[in-house]
Amino acid sequence: MIRRLRMKFIGICLGSLILVIALLMGLLNFLNYREMVGGMDNLLDLLAENDGRFPPPERGSGFKELPDSFDGQNMFSPETPYATRFFSATLDENGEILTVDVEMISAVDSEEAKEYAAEAWRTEKQRGFLGDYRYRRIASEDDSLIVFLDCTREMGSVKNVLLTSAGVSMAGLFLVFVLIYIFSGIVMKPVYESYEKQKRFITDAGHEIKTPLTTIGADLDVLEIEIGENEWLEDMRRQTNRLAILTNELIYLARMEEGGTKIPLIDLPLSDLVEETAQSFQALAIMENKSFRVQIQEMVVIRGEEQSLRKLVSILLDNAVKYSNENGSILLTLEKNGKTARLTVENTVQGMAAETVGHLFERFYREDASRNSGKGGYGIGLSIAEAIVKAHRGEIKASLLKESVLRITVQFPAKAESSAGPR
C-alpha cells in the first residue's frame, strides 16, 4: 500500500508538471509561430502594395513611400530586399495566368510559379501557406496579384525552437522525476516504517491474544463439566469464538497486504473451485428464502493459491447472502474473456447509497442500512478479499446497478486453456 501511495504521489507530481510544461511550451511556440507569420505577412503586404516589388530604399534609412500607419514599419531595412526571396503571378478574373515574375528567387522556375499561383487561386483565400511559401492575394478590377514569399528559413527556425524546447522539457522532466523519486522515498520512509510497525503489531498482538483465548476456551470446557451447560457459559464461548475469528482474520489480512506472505501460485481450475465453494451456500440461501443462481464457464484456469481463492469466493458469497434484501436474489458468474477470467457476484440490496460503494473495501466500514452489526460481520471481509485479489495480480471493484443491485467484479489473468459454455 505504501509503495502504491508513493507511486501515486510521483504520478500526480509528474502529471501536474507535464501539464504546466506542455502549456508553457505550447504558448511559447504558438507566440513564436505567430510572430513569424506576422513578419511574413508584413513583407507580403509591402510587396503586394507595390505590385510585387519592394519600394526603393533610401541609403542609410528604411524604405521610403511607406505610410506611417503601416504595420511593421520598423522591421524593414535597406538590406531586406536582398535577403528576401519571393515571386509573384498576375491572373485575370477567370484565373488564367497572365504574367509571372521569378527574378528574385532561384528555387522556383516559371512553370512551378504558375502551378503555385493556380493552386492559390483555387483556395480562394487571401492569405495562406503552400508548402514553405506564404502567399498574399490582392484583387483589382481587372486582375489579381498573388505574391509568394519563401519562408524556408523562418519555418526552420520555428521547428528548431519547437524541437529545442521539447528536448529541454523532456530532459527537465527526467531530472525532476529522479529528484521526486529520491525525495519521495525520504519523505515516505517514516510513513513506511510506521505502517510496518502497525502490521507487526497486529501480527504479534494476534498471536499473543490467541494464547489467552485458547486458555479461556479450555477453562470454559472445565466449567461446563463441573456445573453443566449454562447460558452464561454459552454466551462467553460464543464471544470468545467471535474474538478468535476476528483475530485470525486480522492476522491473515496483515500477512496478505504488501506481500507479507509470498503465496505459491500454481495453475488451478478456477471453474471447479468456484462451483464447489458455491454449493455450500445453496442451502444457506434457500433457508433465507433467497434465489441463488450460478453460471460458470468450464475450463477457466488461472495461476493462484487454492485456499486463498476459496476464501475469496466464500467472502463474496457470504457478503451477498448476508446483505441481500429479504426474498432477494444472488447471481454468481464466472467467464473467460480473452486473457481475463472474470468472477462476478451480484445481489439485490435495499437502501444502499451510491457513495457507499466506494468505501466497501475499507477496513471495519459498515453502511448503516445494509451492513449493520446485526448481520454478524466484522467489516473486514471485503478488505481481505481485496488483499487476496491483489496478491494474485488481479483487480476487484464494486458498483451499484440501478440502485438495487450490488455487483462485485473480480478479474484475474487467465491461462490459455480450452473453454466450454456456461453450466
Side-chain angles (χ1 to χ4, degrees), residues 377-395:
Y378 303 101
I380 63 173
L382 291 180
S383 299
I384 295 175
E386 182 182 40
I388 293 173
V389 172
K390 290 182 178 179
H392 286 77
R393 300 174 185 175
E395 297 180 355

Side-chain angles (χ1 to χ4, degrees), residues 193-209 247 250-251 254:
E193 292 176 349
S194 175
Y195 187 75
E196 287 298 314
K197 290 178 181 178
Q198 175 187 343
K199 289 199 303 178
R200 285 197 299 271
F201 170 77
I202 293 175
T203 304
D204 295 342
H207 286 296
E208 292 297 325
I209 292 174
T247 302
L250 285 174
I251 295 174

Side-chain angles (χ1 to χ4, degrees), residues 25 28-29 32 155-171:
M25 191 176 72
L28 170 66
N29 285 277
N32 184 44
M155 292 292 289
S157 177
V158 170
K159 291 178 181 178
N160 287 335
V161 172
L162 176 62
L163 294 175
T164 302
S165 61
V168 172
S169 299
M170 293 297 294

Side-chain angles (χ1 to χ4, degrees), residues 355-373:
E355 57 270 16
T356 298
V357 178
H359 301 282
L360 291 180
F361 299 104
E362 296 177 5
R363 294 184 187 182
F364 305 109
Y365 178 78
R366 294 179 184 275
E367 199 271 332
D368 293 339
S370 61
R371 301 180 61 83
N372 53 70
S373 58

